[in-house]
Amino acid sequence: MGLGQTLCACLKGLNVIALRKACAVLMVVLVQILRSHWSLRRLSLGGGAEDVEKPNDVTGPVSSSEPGQSESAAVSSGGPVAAPVSEADEPAEAAAGGAVSPPDQCDEELVLRPLRSGDIYASFQFRTQWDTDFLHHGKKVSHYRLFPKSLGQVLSKFSVRELHISFTQGYWRTMQWGQPFIPSPPGAELWVWFHNTVEDVDGNWKELVNVLSGIFCASLNFIDSTNTVQPSASFKPLGLGNVTDHRFLRYATLPREIVCTENLTPWKKLLPCGSKAGLAVLLKSEKLFHSSFHSQAVHIRPVCKDWQCTSTAWELRQTLNVVFDIYTSGQGKKEWSLFKMFSRTLTEACPLASSSKVYVDVTDNPEGELFDLSPVTPLLSTAVVLGDRRTYSVYDLTKKETFGQLRSLNLVLRWKGESGDMLRPLLHAERYVAGFGLQTGEIHTLIYNNHPYRAFPVLLLDSVPWYLRLYIHTLTVTSKTRENKPSYIHYQPSKDRLRPHLLEMLVQLPPHSVTEVTVQFERALLKWTEYTPDPNHGFYVGSSVISALVPSVVAMDTNSTQERPLFSSFFPTKEESSYFVRVYTEPLLVNLPTPDFSMPYNVICLTCTVVAVGYGSFYNLLTRTFQVEEPSQSLAKRLANVIRRIRGVPLL
């Protein structure tokens, strides 16, 4: 029997599924053999073990831009000029023909702040810095190690200079919880600075929101010209270059966006260690979304690496803030631990992170009279946060002694007694809708300055949809029952179904005062196709944005490159006597004139009834055949015929 006949006989005894499985197993074995052979060959040629264990293979050499191009790009962006890198400074591996990845590093932090209400505020900060530039023409970055490739390609393709996006479920209660480290409004918020070489900003913005919608599994594709504005003063770049043309800025919000697990999963995949190691193991969706407040954000910006800004880097900062309530958590008592909050404990730091720390705010508990914290750590750190000097207990996860003999860190916080009221924040704001009926109304914005003797200016931004037609001549600003004339007003009227209203004002807040901003509006009547599936629920109006430099109690550090905790170094500080604060008000829920959408159902029912009765009768008259029927016989005659039929006599 020949080889072909033998092979045919073997194949007849196997079905197609078994043959496919055998081929798959054979391919896997072949790939493993090739990988082992390639690794041994690289080691034999002199390559170290580090070359074999690189997380990503380099697909091609990284093309470098000319020094002149680097200087011109830095000058046009308004930031300091970075020193060009000469060819002599390049590593020897690049001269040998291998692609070299720019140096990058990542840090992770968790801050736990016990609140006076008995709740606890947990803030995660993950920072990745990469010494590269996506904006230089002719420079193609092909090797990604810690920085996510999906975001790097977005920065390069759309010439993004800064990107800030947040997804928030719930409203931050400033009067009960104080100021957050990084604020965010309810729903989704996105604001982007494009590079000044972009010609079609609106086109790049439209494509960018669709790409980000796919990356974060969100409804950002609903962002269009009807909810996008160009602020002139409220949103300045947080990275290099503080003076930029606002034509390259776009800002939009979706106050009705619902945050769920499908948004958290892609956010965790952007982390260097994912959710497998480090602080990210605590990010369990079942616990995070069972809270009073949840917010996740991604911030990308160029930053300086030293005080002289001789070198720059791209910074990716991922933040997640959550507030656990004693009532929603089902505990009913003021006792917290990592396991109760996240259903997990910490066992190791992220292997790729250069620093991994946990901070617990013990400023209000100097002698341990308010709560007990265990295990006790001898490491204490002080930092200036939001204009106040705070003290923190530090747990360094890169040290083995932090985990103890059980090789697990479970922080436990037990309250001893009732906690007092939290100090009122210096700046607070709220907003509501007044009026009656469905024709006109009035928007009231209240801004509180709780400083006893200092006055300071604030910048108010309002973006109102086009279907609320503002009467700008009714705008009034009052402080302590007196008129407070704004020193700067920028107003852009809306266009029906094209763009929203944009109102920016610079208002001086007197000390210990409440400033009220009111404006009247008229509700528009929408087309029946423009209503939402639940029109009687109402239409959401995004939060007002209030930006201010609030007087600081202690001197602020103006050196942004100095080594300090991540939660205290997000907003750049230009003056020692003040710090930057951004406050968001509540979103508004406005009812519009809504037609009775049950009328089409009634009309359809009535029309079908008329058609069935009228047309049915007419159709029967046209198609029915008529026959003449003989008159029926009487009952006596029919009985007689029955008897005659039985007797065999002819019928009557």
Side-chain angles (χ1 to χ4, degrees):
M1 183 180 294
L3 180 61
Q5 296 178 355
T6 304
L7 182 60
C8 292
C10 294
L11 291 178
K12 288 181 180 179
L14 296 175
N15 53 16
V16 179
I17 299 178
L19 184 61
R20 289 180 179 177
K21 291 183 178 180
C23 292
V25 173
L26 183 61
M27 290 297 296
V28 171
V29 174
L30 183 60
V31 169
Q32 294 293 337
I33 294 175
L34 290 177
R35 286 182 177 178
S36 303
H37 174 71
W38 178 249
S39 301
L40 292 175
R41 183 180 179 183
R42 292 182 64 183
L43 290 174
S44 64
L45 292 177
E50 297 179 356
D51 297 333
V52 181
E53 297 177 357
K54 286 184 178 180
N56 293 329
D57 294 332
V58 181
T59 57
V62 180
S63 59
S64 59
S65 59
E66 298 179 0
Q69 295 179 352
S70 175
E71 295 178 3
S72 63
V75 172
S76 63
S77 63
V81 179
V85 180
S86 61
E87 295 181 358
D89 297 334
E90 294 182 356
E93 289 83 359
V100 178
S101 173
D104 51 0
Q105 63 177 1
C106 66
D107 307 286
E108 57 178 6
E109 289 182 0
L110 169 61
V111 185
L112 299 176
R113 188 172 75 185
L115 304 177
R116 292 282 186 170
S117 59
D119 308 329
I120 192 164
Y121 170 39
S123 177
F124 293 85
Q125 301 258 355
F126 302 91
R127 182 182 66 178
T128 303
Q129 284 190 346
W130 194 14
D131 300 349
T132 187
D133 196 346
F134 298 100
L135 302 180
H136 284 177
H137 298 285
K139 183 174 183 178
K140 181 181 179 182
V141 180
S142 57
H143 185 193
Y144 292 84
R145 181 173 173 264
L146 300 180
F147 201 93
K149 186 176 182 180
S150 58
L151 295 181
Q153 292 176 341
V154 167
L155 299 178
S156 177
K157 177 176 176 58
F158 300 106
S159 300
V160 175
R161 185 172 172 181
E162 280 194 24
L163 187 146
H164 305 270
I165 182 173
S166 65
F167 302 94
T168 305
Q169 186 71 26
Y171 175 69
W172 182 269
R173 306 183 184 277
T174 309
M175 297 301 294
Q176 299 180 13
W177 303 335
Q179 294 287 355
F181 297 124
I182 301 180
S184 58
E189 181 193 40
L190 174 64
W191 58 285
V192 176
W193 278 99
F194 293 95
H195 201 263
N196 52 12
T197 58
V198 177
E199 297 179 357
D200 186 10
V201 179
D202 292 330
N204 280 26
W205 169 257
K206 184 177 180 180
E207 295 182 11
L208 176 63
V209 295
N210 284 277
V211 172
L212 295 177
S213 177
I215 293 178
F216 294 100
C217 296
S219 303
L220 299 179
N221 54 312
F222 286 96
I223 294 178
D224 53 12
S225 62
T226 60
N227 49 23
T228 301
V229 295
Q230 304 177 27
S232 61
S234 295
F235 289 90
K236 293 297 183 181
L238 299 180
L240 297 179
N242 291 326
V243 180
T244 310
D245 192 350
H246 69 275
R247 293 177 300 173
F248 300 97
L249 170 64
R250 294 295 182 271
Y251 174 81
T253 59
L254 293 175
R256 200 178 180 180
E257 180 71 13
I258 304 299
V259 186
C260 194
T261 309
E262 59 187 7
N263 308 118
L264 180 63
T265 301
W267 185 89
K268 292 191 295 185
K269 290 182 178 180
L270 300 176
L271 299 174
C273 291
S275 58
K276 305 299 182 183
L279 297 176
V281 299
L282 302 178
L283 303 179
K284 191 175 181 180
S285 58
E286 179 184 353
K287 290 293 184 179
L288 293 179
F289 292 107
H290 193 67
S291 58
S292 301
F293 177 84
H294 171 269
S295 176
Q296 60 187 55
V298 173
H299 306 276
I300 305 176
R301 59 179 178 177
V303 295
C304 294
K305 297 200 65 178
D306 51 16
W307 177 249
Q308 292 80 13
C309 202
T310 56
S311 61
T312 61
W314 279 93
E315 180 190 77
L316 166 64
R317 184 170 298 201
Q318 296 178 243
T319 63
L320 190 145
N321 300 323
V322 58
V323 176
F324 292 99
D325 188 4
I326 58 176
Y327 300 106
T328 58
S329 61
Q331 298 185 28
K333 57 181 179 179
K334 297 180 180 180
E335 180 179 338
W336 296 99
S337 66
L338 289 181
F339 187 79
K340 288 184 178 180
M341 288 188 293
F342 305 104
S343 295
R344 294 178 183 177
T345 58
L346 295 173
T347 57
E348 62 176 347
C350 175
L352 300 176
S354 57
S355 67
S356 179
K357 298 179 181 180
V358 178
Y359 294 85
V360 181
D361 194 343
V362 294
T363 307
D364 302 330
N365 190 49
E367 302 295 335
E369 69 278 1
L370 193 60
F371 57 83
D372 289 332
L373 178 64
S374 62
V376 180
T377 174
L379 298 179
L380 294 177
S381 175
T382 59
V384 179
V385 183
L386 299 174
D388 189 15
R389 190 175 301 278
R390 312 292 294 182
T391 304
Y392 297 90
S393 296
V394 184
Y395 298 85
D396 193 351
L397 302 184
T398 58
K399 299 180 179 179
K400 295 183 179 180
E401 56 269 18
T402 304
F403 301 98
Q405 298 180 354
L406 299 178
R407 297 182 180 180
S408 176
L409 178 61
N410 182 28
L411 298 178
V412 180
L413 189 148
R414 296 182 179 90
W415 289 87
K416 291 184 177 180
E418 292 294 332
S419 56
D421 296 333
M422 178 172 288
L423 296 177
R424 301 179 65 182
L426 296 181
L427 181 63
H428 172 58
E430 57 185 21
R431 189 168 63 151
Y432 61 91
V433 177
F436 58 91
L438 294 177
Q439 182 178 0
T440 60
E442 197 172 38
I443 298 178
H444 292 251
T445 304
L446 304 179
I447 307 175
Y448 297 84
N449 178 12
N450 296 321
H451 201 285
Y453 56 88
R454 289 286 298 274
F456 55 88
V458 298
L459 192 60
L460 173 65
L461 169 78
D462 259 333
S463 177
V464 183
W466 63 267
Y467 45 77
L468 298 182
R469 294 166 179 168
L470 297 182
Y471 294 149
I472 199 64
H473 68 278
T474 63
L475 177 65
T476 59
V477 181
T478 57
S479 299
K480 295 183 177 181
T481 67
R482 296 181 181 179
E483 183 181 0
N484 188 350
K485 187 176 180 180
S487 58
Y488 169 79
I489 294 181
H490 170 70
Y491 175 67
Q492 183 182 36
S494 67
K495 291 184 179 180
D496 287 357
R497 299 172 180 85
L498 290 180
R499 71 182 184 192
H501 300 269
L502 174 61
L503 177 62
E504 286 184 283
M505 296 186 301
L506 184 62
V507 183
Q508 184 78 10
L509 302 183
H512 197 68
S513 65
V514 179
T515 302
E516 183 177 10
V517 181
T518 61
V519 62
Q520 297 180 7
F521 65 89
E522 180 183 4
R523 296 173 171 88
L525 184 62
L526 304 180
K527 297 180 180 179
W528 72 275
T529 56
E530 295 174 342
Y531 286 91
T532 57
D534 52 347
N536 293 304
H537 178 76
F539 291 79
Y540 284 89
V541 180
S543 304
S544 296
V545 186
I546 300 173
S547 307
L549 289 175
V550 180
S552 176
V553 179
V554 297
M556 300 295 296
D557 187 7
T558 58
N559 186 1
S560 59
T561 60
Q562 186 176 358
E563 188 69 23
R564 52 180 174 173
L566 299 180
F567 56 87
S568 62
S569 62
F570 182 72
F571 292 108
T573 304
K574 300 299 182 182
E575 300 178 359
E576 295 183 353
S577 60
S578 60
Y579 62 96
F580 179 80
V581 171
R582 181 168 290 153
V583 178
Y584 294 91
T585 64
E586 306 92 337
L588 299 179
L589 185 61
V590 181
N591 289 325
L592 295 181
T594 305
D596 186 5
F597 284 101
S598 65
M599 282 304 297
Y601 173 76
N602 299 335
V603 171
I604 291 174
C605 294
L606 180 61
T607 303
C608 292
T609 303
V610 172
V611 169
V613 174
Y615 179 75
S617 301
F618 183 70
Y619 181 79
N620 286 337
L621 292 176
L622 293 178
T623 59
R624 182 177 298 173
T625 57
F626 296 92
Q627 297 179 357
V628 179
E629 294 184 358
E630 297 181 357
S632 60
Q633 299 176 354
S634 61
L635 180 60
K637 190 175 181 179
R638 282 183 291 176
L639 292 176
N641 287 334
V642 172
I643 296 173
R644 291 174 71 88
R645 185 180 293 109
I646 295 173
R647 294 174 58 186
V649 180
L651 303 177
L652 297 177

